[in-house]
Amino acid sequence: MKKNEMSEKICLCIDTSTKTASVAIGKSVGGKKTQILCSVLINDGLTHSEKLVPLIDRCLNSCGLDVKDIDLFGCVNGPGSFTGLRIGISTINALSQSYDKKIIGVDALEALSFNFRHFEGNIIPMIDARRDNVFAAVFESWDGLKCKKEDDVISVDELLSYAASYKGRLLFAGDGTHKSEQRIKDLFGSRAIIADGIKNYVNASIGVELVFRDYFSDNSNACKMLMPNYVRGTSAKTIEERSAQNEK
């Protein structure tokens, strides 16, 4: 019997990696199925420092829960906005230390792609990194997701040139598609699908599912102190983050 196979767990997950911010609470019994109890997403710009804690309180109150009732925390830890990631990760680390609970990090690009896990083809999640650059990856979707190109920061033109080497249908998702939609259509025509609507955002409710997937696996990445995945390397890290990484 695998670890925690019969146990019921409640997870609170947050995302502040892009201009949207979201919080979700979900329940899992034995790792077999995830039930989302509450999910809130706002898209009013980078005001996460003001909105995150009220969003957490709103979700907890709507479920009749207290923070002490949460068994496991989740947080999208990048790639994405440096400031947004620091706000989310510092909040989740504080909760972990205060209530002595574990955290599991969620990759933003995988969370975007997980929205389309039933799509047959290649999924290319794109998060705006400014100056015509994007944080991007490539996932093959066929009976689950398989990473074909790991997280990177890359120019849109370079990414599209890379994507041209793939055959079959391509699905582009994320806010990085907004400035490049016409280029995608011109290059790939009917082969390309550009996501829209709620599935075009990183969402903490998807994060809950990915947290439970990791938690109930044999090689969980649960930790007490989460670190950001900036992708751009050590230049983006604070002195404290570099010290913590060197101590590992």
Side-chain angles (χ1 to χ4, degrees):
M1 184 177 294
K2 290 186 177 182
K3 176 189 72 171
N4 302 312
E5 189 170 312
M6 300 304 294
S7 60
E8 177 178 299
K9 297 294 179 182
I10 296 177
C11 169
L12 185 151
C13 185
I14 66 174
D15 169 55
T16 53
S17 62
T18 64
K19 290 184 178 181
T20 62
S22 59
V23 177
I25 296 175
K27 178 173 68 175
S28 180
V29 179
K32 303 298 183 183
K33 188 175 181 180
T34 298
Q35 178 185 0
I36 300 299
L37 305 178
C38 178
S39 178
V40 181
L41 181 146
I42 59 172
N43 184 16
D44 61 355
L46 293 171
T47 57
H48 302 332
S49 59
E50 300 173 7
K51 300 295 179 67
L52 181 57
V53 172
L55 284 179
I56 293 173
D57 288 340
R58 187 194 305 179
C59 273
L60 288 168
N61 292 337
S62 70
C63 297
L65 297 172
D66 191 90
V67 181
K68 67 178 184 295
D69 300 317
I70 302 300
D71 299 302
L72 182 66
F73 293 112
C75 180
V76 176
N77 65 326
S81 159
F82 298 160
T83 302
L85 291 175
R86 287 168 181 160
I87 292 169
I89 290 172
S90 63
T91 300
I92 217 71
N93 283 340
L95 290 172
S96 170
Q97 293 172 25
S98 298
Y99 293 90
D100 193 28
K101 301 292 174 67
K102 292 288 185 70
I103 313 166
I104 291 176
V106 175
D107 184 275
L109 295 169
E110 183 178 11
L112 258 178
S113 300
F114 199 74
N115 281 318
F116 307 97
R117 58 193 178 276
H118 302 300
F119 173 79
E120 294 183 2
N122 290 299
I123 302 170
I124 303 176
M126 303 166 61
I127 294 176
D128 186 18
R130 300 182 181 180
R131 298 180 181 178
D132 207 42
N133 293 319
V134 289
F135 299 108
V138 179
F139 291 88
E140 182 179 30
S141 178
W142 183 274
D143 191 27
L145 292 180
K146 177 183 177 181
C147 183
K148 298 179 70 172
K149 177 177 172 54
E150 295 186 354
D151 296 3
D152 195 5
V153 59
I154 188 172
S155 73
V156 172
D157 285 342
E158 187 178 357
L159 176 64
L160 297 184
S161 176
Y162 186 90
S165 65
Y166 292 113
K167 297 180 180 179
R169 297 195 303 164
L170 301 169
L171 190 151
F172 295 84
D175 63 9
T177 65
H178 296 166
K179 296 178 181 178
S180 52
E181 182 171 349
Q182 192 57 52
R183 275 182 282 179
I184 293 171
K185 290 179 178 178
D186 290 343
L187 185 59
F188 299 106
S190 60
R191 286 181 58 205
I193 298 171
I194 300 176
D196 58 13
I198 190 66
K199 288 187 176 182
N200 210 35
Y201 300 108
V202 182
N203 197 316
S205 61
I206 293 294
V208 169
E209 294 192 56
L210 295 176
V211 166
F212 281 135
R213 184 191 68 180
D214 179 285
Y215 180 74
F216 288 104
S217 72
D218 292 326
N219 299 295
S220 176
N221 292 306
C223 61
K224 286 292 186 73
M225 180 68 69
L226 189 64
M227 296 294 293
N229 171 24
Y230 290 127
V231 174
R232 282 180 172 167
T234 57
S235 62
K237 294 183 174 70
T238 64
I239 294 174
E240 291 80 8
E241 288 164 356
R242 293 179 201 178
S243 299
Q245 188 174 50
N246 290 334
E247 289 172 0
K248 291 185 176 182

